[in-house]
Every structure is written in structure tokens, then in C-alpha cells.
Amino acid sequence: MDDRDLGEIVVPADTLQQRIVELGHEITADYEGRPPLLVGVLKGAFVFMSDLARNISLPVEFDFMAVSSYGSATKTSGVVRIVKDLDLDLSDRHVLIVEDIVDSGLTLAYLRRNLEARQPASLEVCALLVKEGLQRQDPDLRYVGFRIPPKFVVGYGLDVKERYRNLPFVCVYEGSDA
Ligand code: IMP
Ligand code: MG
């Protein structure tokens, strides 16, 4: 696993930043008068959430959740375990889940059900990346950054075995251990 395993750039750094400015403006307009609680899904979403939040001109609050899905690194089984739960109570909060990437949609479907049960005032999802054509469950995404081809990608929060999260762009991973 080294830099020779990195393939074509799928979303360049400047394109990411431009789109995140747009998403921030959209969210600012939509949540005027009812500031959202941003719920980041660790670890992958931390880079996106940090840039997104700085483009939202509202008094947002933050919380984080960590989940692990059973199955191989590249395929989720849909059976999800909460590794770190939220610190805050969601009742009467306008919750916006911030996700790095939606592949099968199974992780998000689980999260939605789980958070919905805590009776927030509203619950929406903002996903930076959505893989084309793969969703087995309709994840009902309110905000989407980019639709990308169904290839394994790294960078901008996304990893292979904890590496490449700090790349400022998203690119294809061509190593054998994804
Ligand atoms: P899903 O349940 O199949 O939608 O999988 C979603 C989770 O799998 C994401 O939150 C990521 O953690 C991980 N994942 C899916 N595709 C990729 C990828 O291309 N690169 C890195 N992680 C991925
Ligand atoms: Mg994730």
C-alpha cells in the first residue's frame, strides 16, 4: 500500500471545495431559523464535515457517531454496530447526518432508522459522494455532493486501512488490499 496504488482523480480538490461552498449556502438557506445539529459519521466524514460547517452561516452544533459494519472492507452486510454513540439528546433537534460516501446505502438505512427512533424534529442526510447505481436501499438523500462511478476511492476522509484520509482530493484506489 503506497502512492503507486493511487489511480485517477475522481474529484479534484478545487472542485470539492467549490461544491462544498454551494452545499453550505443551500443548507444555510434551508435551515434559517432552525439551526441544525450536524451528526458526523466517523471516521470518514470528519474532513467533509469540517469544511462543510465552515460554509454554513448558522449557529450549528456538532456531534459524532462511530459505526462499524460487519463484512469485508469493501462490502457492507447491512449489519451495523454502534461503536461510539452520540453525546446529545436528539429530541426536538433538526438533525443533519453528514456522511462521506454512500455505497449500498445499508449503513445509512440503519442509521436513519436508529436516529429516527430518538424522535428528532427533523432528520435529513448530506452525503459528499454517492456511488452510481449501487444502492440496494433508497437512502433518501437531501443533499449530495457528487455522484461517482462505482469504484473504490480514497482521500478527503476516505481510507484503506486508515491511510489516505488526508489527501485533499478523491481518487481511485488500485491496490490489491482495498
Ligand atoms: P454502504 O453501507 O455500502 O453504503 O457503505 C458505506 C460505508 O462504507 C462508508 O461510510 C464508507 O465507510 C465505506 N465505503 C464505501 N465505499 C467506499 C470507498 O470507495 N472508499 C472508502 N470507503 C468506502
Ligand atoms: Mg463511513
Side-chain angles (χ1 to χ4, degrees), residues 37-131:
L37 170 64
L38 302 183
V39 168
V41 185
L42 296 173
K43 299 173 192 172
F46 84 100
V47 180
F48 173 44
M49 182 146 153
S50 146
D51 283 340
L52 180 67
R54 282 175 288 179
N55 285 289
I56 301 175
S57 311
L58 294 170
V60 298
E61 291 179 34
F62 300 84
D63 206 346
F64 293 93
M65 192 160 181
V67 297
S68 87
S69 47
Y70 295 102
S72 71
T74 49
K75 282 207 178 66
T76 40
S77 59
V79 182
V80 177
R81 189 166 55 96
I82 294 178
V83 177
K84 183 223 169 289
D85 206 345
L86 300 173
D87 296 327
L88 303 176
D89 184 357
L90 298 191
S91 50
D92 304 322
R93 302 303 305 265
H94 293 283
V95 175
L96 182 57
I97 300 175
V98 179
E99 246 296 34
D100 48 5
I101 188 163
V102 178
D103 188 351
S104 68
L106 292 170
T107 304
L108 206 51
Y110 169 85
L111 271 180
R112 239 185 190 292
R113 275 199 308 277
N114 187 285
L115 299 191
E116 199 72 74
R118 307 182 197 195
Q119 304 190 308
S122 67
L123 181 64
E124 300 289 354
V125 177
C126 177
L128 179 64
L129 306 169
V130 177
K131 288 195 194 174

Side-chain angles (χ1 to χ4, degrees), residues 16-30:
L16 276 172
Q17 295 304 326
Q18 283 162 20
R19 181 69 185 125
I20 291 167
V21 168
E22 288 174 6
L23 288 171
H25 289 168
E26 242 184 274
I27 291 167
T28 301
D30 293 351

